[in-house]
Amino acid sequence: MSFELPSLPYPKEALEPHISARTFECHHGKHHQAYVTNLNNLITGTPLAAEPLEEIIRQTSKDESMTSIFNNAAQVWNHTFFWSSLSPKGGREPTGKVEAAIKGAFGSVQTFKDQFKQTGVAQFGSGWVWLVEEAREFKIVKTANAQTPLAVGQKALVTCDVWEHAYYLDYQNRRPDFLQEFLDHLINWDFIAQNMG
Ligand code: MN3
């Protein structure tokens, strides 16, 4: 059994002008594909080859001898989760239970957006910014490199990739502008609703 690159949940042009087709060609077609290929090469012939992706991540996250497998498995999972965190119909304001939960946790949607953006900007070097649910509470967290909330028992609700490869072609070094576009035009509130417990 081996893993395959999942298709994008929308055409690669669907998020223009916020994220270009060229970025998707590179980010999905090359970076995400490379993590899938590396993971398959690393687990072939090992007991991990029989395990689902989430289980591979959990089993390798605390084991330093498994760092390469963890990094590639987590990046496969993180990217698949990121594509669904984006939507051509995303952005603007949440409604219903997502709106209520965000206002309950952060006071207002604007405060949530401000904190999410600040947290993404504050991640030094490569990583991710997430909205997670832990002990029934919404929290914004950042992770470095391939680290993922899945490995520490937090339920991921939505994420934005802040590795330079996620935004450099469209925004060069302007990570804050990329995060603002994500929050204003792309964040998939429906995906948050699906992921809420
Ligand atoms: Mn990436």
Side-chain angles (χ1 to χ4, degrees):
M1 193 183 92
S2 63
F3 293 100
E4 290 185 5
L5 181 69
S7 300
L8 288 172
Y10 33 72
K12 66 185 180 187
E13 302 83 8
L15 305 188
E16 290 188 339
H18 314 295
I19 298 178
S20 64
R22 191 164 160 245
T23 286
F24 276 113
E25 284 165 11
C26 189
H27 198 180
H28 175 254
K30 295 198 164 53
H31 289 275
H32 197 182
Q33 177 66 68
Y35 297 126
V36 171
T37 302
N38 291 341
L39 176 62
N40 286 331
N41 289 339
L42 287 162
I43 64 174
T44 297
T46 79
L48 288 173
E51 299 290 346
L53 185 59
E54 290 80 358
E55 194 55 35
I56 294 172
I57 292 168
R58 288 190 199 98
Q59 286 190 22
T60 58
S61 69
K62 303 280 189 298
D63 184 343
E64 282 184 23
S65 72
M66 298 280 188
T67 298
S68 293
I69 295 175
F70 172 80
N71 284 340
N72 285 284
Q75 285 293 80
V76 170
W77 191 91
N78 290 349
H79 281 88
T80 302
F81 195 84
F82 177 48
W83 310 138
S84 290
S85 295
L86 307 166
S87 168
K89 295 178 181 149
R92 293 177 292 277
E93 298 287 320
T95 56
K97 69 173 182 177
V98 177
E99 179 186 19
I102 284 182
K103 286 182 173 172
F106 303 101
S108 71
V109 174
Q110 189 60 51
T111 303
F112 160 73
K113 288 186 176 184
D114 290 346
Q115 288 185 14
F116 192 95
K117 180 178 175 181
Q118 283 165 15
T119 304
V121 169
Q123 171 53 38
F124 185 79
S126 297
W128 301 80
V129 53
W130 307 80
L131 177 66
V132 302
E133 197 172 36
E134 185 175 40
R136 294 174 169 270
E137 281 187 34
F138 274 23
K139 294 179 188 172
I140 295 168
V141 297
K142 55 188 166 69
T143 62
N145 301 314
Q147 287 297 327
T148 183
L150 195 65
V152 293
Q154 294 169 330
K155 181 189 279 189
L157 300 177
V158 82
T159 194
C160 188
D161 187 342
V162 296
W163 285 57
E164 279 191 345
H165 67 223
Y167 56 87
Y168 212 85
L169 289 175
D170 298 324
Y171 299 87
Q172 290 77 52
N173 63 325
R174 291 177 287 114
R175 186 192 291 181
D177 292 357
F178 169 62
L179 283 159
Q180 193 67 52
E181 290 284 295
F182 170 81
L183 291 161
D184 289 343
H185 300 288
L186 301 172
I187 185 170
N188 187 350
W189 306 111
D190 293 341
F191 187 56
I192 297 176
Q194 285 170 40
N195 290 325
M196 282 169 69

